[in-house]
Amino acid sequence: MNKINKSIELFKEAKLHMPGGVNSPVRAFKNIDGNPIFFKKAKGAYVFDADNNKYIDYIGSWGPMIMGHSHPEIIKAISKQLELGTSYGAPTSIESSTAILIKECMPSIKKIRMVNSGTEATMSAVRLARGFTKRNKIIKFDGCYHGHVDSLLIKAGSGVTTFGLPDSPGIPKELAKQTLSCEFNNKEDFLKVFNKIKNDLAAVIVEPIAGNMGFIPADKSFLQLLRKKTSENKSLLIFDEVMSGFRVSLGGAQEIYKIKPDLTTLGKVIGGGLPVGAFGGRKEIMDFLAPNGPVYQAGTLSGNPLAMAAGSKLIKLLIKNNPYKALEAKASYLLDGMQQLFLEHNIPLSINQRGGMFGFFFSENLPKNLNDVIKTNDKQFKKFLNKCIANGIYFAPSKFEAGFISTKHTKVEINHTISIIKQILEKGL
Ligand SMILES: *Cc1c(COP(=O)(O)O)cnc(C)c1O
């Protein structure tokens, strides 16, 4: 068991200065009733906390550390740019070269705009979709997270009669009403809502491989239906690949499913660990953005040279190494090992993975939607997670988050993880 005295002290201090002691809620460990771990450095597959404990990291900054922490080539790329200046508020050639790399990997993107976070990307994509189609309504899916955009922070009762209710105070009901949320992977639910509002439907936004209700890939036929209906109706299909982009394969989920969205949002991996987002897609839609078109969107630090340097270097490394098959094999080696142990202790565990993303659930069957995830065993998850973290295995501290593996996770780290889990289960959850 690790001692985390410094993290406890630091959290106390942080709570005096920042709401909840954190700058992003999931970090507060409320979902597992724990004390967040404060880190001070990271290398490869490992993160090191303020008390000098070492953890095998299965979060990887929620995706970007797909080639491991502190990758020497990424550090070199950032350092080189650092010497030349950190921001000019003016165009640079590295913005185009980053755009070219992304477009090569994701052919549905003909033009792209860089922003500073995933939230900014989805917010802008929704505005663009509304401006381009001259319609107002958005359909999203329960459990899909698209950043904390007013229009998208809606879970809502699904079904025809229930209009969206905001998930958070501060979002006007009038705005929330423009967003309808349906059950993920539920074609009938989608069709009911779609048919009711299609005349005013600007866009359907979906995480094609959802990573914000645990890890749940969409059914192919579900995504195909979304593609067909939006095309027929001249509504836009937005794939939110902020998490899955460059994580599940070079071309993201859209490559795996062979479905072309009209717009794609990106973030996480494409910043190489620096704050970045982007959205792109069909040329005539993207050209509807200012300064070419009437839809306004801007950013003082957008296309920031440091972020572009880090992101483009990481994308180049990913193109060169194409690690996705190997990552998936490692993830399944880990998960199969875990499942075997859980089976021996008569605890149901369902598992799933694609590329460098994975999920495990305390349930007999794999969840297909948010409701299924809610029903998975909370108590067992919390106990398991706290014990893992206390023993140096840093899994995401919420059953609504996915797992991430990097090229730096070798058999050594994975076997160690499995042996720790074996000990945890032997002592009893
Ligand atoms: C993380 C995430 C976002 C939000 O990105 P931020 O950079 O945190 O604003 C949006 N959509 C998806 C699918 C995400 O995973």
Side-chain angles (χ1 to χ4, degrees):
M1 287 273 284
N2 289 332
K3 286 219 164 61
I4 56 161
N5 300 338
K6 287 223 169 94
S7 283
I8 291 169
E9 277 308 305
L10 288 168
F11 190 41
K12 260 192 210 148
E13 167 84 18
K15 280 194 277 195
L16 300 176
H17 311 298
M18 292 173 286
V22 292
N23 283 308
S24 196
V26 70
R27 294 181 199 165
F29 275 35
K30 274 200 161 172
N31 276 305
I32 57 165
D33 306 322
N35 191 95
I37 310 295
F38 281 60
F39 292 118
K40 62 177 189 194
K41 65 173 186 182
K43 180 78 193 159
Y46 294 93
V47 281
F48 300 83
D49 75 6
D51 293 272
N52 295 318
N53 299 305
K54 181 175 167 183
Y55 301 79
I56 301 172
D57 182 16
Y58 290 103
I59 300 181
S61 191
W62 307 100
M65 300 308 157
I66 185 165
M67 300 288 292
H69 286 279
S70 308
H71 193 288
E73 288 201 47
I74 295 174
I75 292 178
K76 211 164 95 191
I78 297 174
S79 313
K80 205 173 127 200
Q81 179 58 46
L82 200 52
E83 299 284 326
L84 300 172
T86 53
S87 176
Y88 318 113
T92 60
S93 65
I94 190 171
E95 291 162 83
S96 285
S97 47
T98 308
I100 291 168
L101 287 169
I102 295 174
K103 284 171 57 179
E104 272 172 14
C105 297
M106 286 193 167
S108 77
I109 298 181
K110 302 295 182 212
K111 284 197 172 177
I112 189 164
R113 174 153 295 173
M114 306 297 175
V115 293
N116 304 295
S117 71
T119 295
E120 221 186 300
T122 54
M123 177 187 78
S124 307
V126 164
R127 182 184 307 137
L128 179 58
R130 283 174 165 155
F132 183 78
T133 59
K134 303 189 173 58
R135 298 175 183 169
N136 297 304
K137 294 220 162 25
I138 303 290
I139 293 181
K140 71 175 290 290
F141 298 94
D142 303 343
C144 284
Y145 175 66
H146 304 294
H148 58 97
V149 179
D150 280 355
S151 287
L152 299 173
L153 211 54
I154 313 283
K155 178 167 53 201
S158 54
V160 221
T161 51
T162 339
F163 278 97
L165 282 177
D167 272 349
S168 157
I171 301 173
K173 279 203 194 69
E174 289 65 32
L175 182 65
K177 265 204 274 194
Q178 305 298 327
T179 303
L180 291 101
S181 194
C182 302
E183 189 168 74
F184 191 68
N185 273 331
N186 184 336
K187 291 184 216 167
E188 292 69 38
D189 198 30
F190 166 72
L191 284 174
K192 259 195 260 170
V193 175
F194 174 86
N195 286 326
K196 182 144 192 240
I197 58 143
K198 65 181 187 187
N199 292 338
D200 196 27
L201 181 64
V204 173
I205 185 167
V206 65
E207 281 183 79
I209 291 184
N212 289 289
M213 49 175 147
F215 174 81
I216 308 185
D219 296 334
K220 186 165 187 179
S221 65
F222 174 71
L223 293 179
Q224 283 170 330
L225 179 74
L226 303 186
R227 178 65 286 182
K228 180 165 171 280
K229 286 289 162 186
T230 47
S231 295
E232 286 171 3
N233 195 50
K234 297 198 162 39
S235 306
L236 304 188
L237 179 62
I238 305 172
F239 273 7
D240 183 354
E241 298 226 47
V242 169
M243 192 178 270
S244 57
F246 295 92
R247 238 305 154 184
V248 294
S249 86
L250 261 184
Q254 53 196 270
E255 177 177 63
I256 292 176
Y257 289 99
K258 300 190 176 62
I259 295 175
K260 268 194 182 170
D262 301 296
L263 292 175
T264 300
T265 54
L266 296 167
K268 298 192 168 99
V269 175
I270 66 158
L274 271 73
V276 169
F279 62 107
R282 279 164 48 198
K283 187 171 168 301
E284 68 275 25
I285 303 173
M286 291 305 292
D287 278 334
F288 219 68
L289 273 184
N292 278 9
V295 172
Y296 195 70
Q297 196 285 330
T300 303
L301 291 176
S302 291
N304 173 266
L306 280 183
M308 294 293 105
S312 61
K313 174 52 79 178
L314 178 54
I315 295 170
K316 278 185 204 154
L317 289 170
L318 290 170
I319 293 172
K320 189 167 139 208
N321 291 284
N322 206 330
Y324 299 95
K325 271 212 179 91
L327 289 173
E328 186 163 315
K330 283 193 234 184
S332 53
Y333 178 77
L334 167 69
L335 293 170
D336 289 345
M338 281 173 69
Q339 195 178 41
Q340 185 56 40
L341 291 171
F342 276 79
L343 198 67
E344 284 162 21
H345 289 86
N346 290 316
I347 303 173
L349 190 81
S350 60
I351 55 174
N352 206 350
Q353 73 282 317
R354 290 281 188 297
M357 267 173 90
F358 66 85
F360 57 84
F361 298 95
F362 283 80
S363 63
E364 205 78 58
N365 301 312
L366 270 174
K368 288 295 239 175
N369 56 49
L370 180 64
N371 268 331
D372 290 350
V373 182
I374 290 171
K375 282 185 228 147
T376 64
N377 195 314
D378 235 6
K379 257 200 194 147
Q380 282 177 336
F381 178 85
K382 274 186 199 174
K383 281 190 192 154
F384 177 68
L385 239 288
N386 278 304
K387 286 181 185 179
C388 284
I389 292 175
N391 288 287
I393 310 297
Y394 196 65
F395 283 129
S398 161
K399 68 176 187 175
F400 300 104
E401 301 289 352
F404 302 88
I405 200 156
S406 83
T407 56
K408 292 292 190 289
H409 289 73
T410 67
K411 281 253 161 98
V412 174
E413 284 78 28
I414 300 175
N415 284 333
H416 181 69
T417 305
I418 293 173
S419 77
I420 295 283
I421 293 173
K422 186 166 191 281
Q423 291 167 26
I424 291 173
L425 293 178
E426 272 164 8
K427 285 187 194 147
L429 269 192

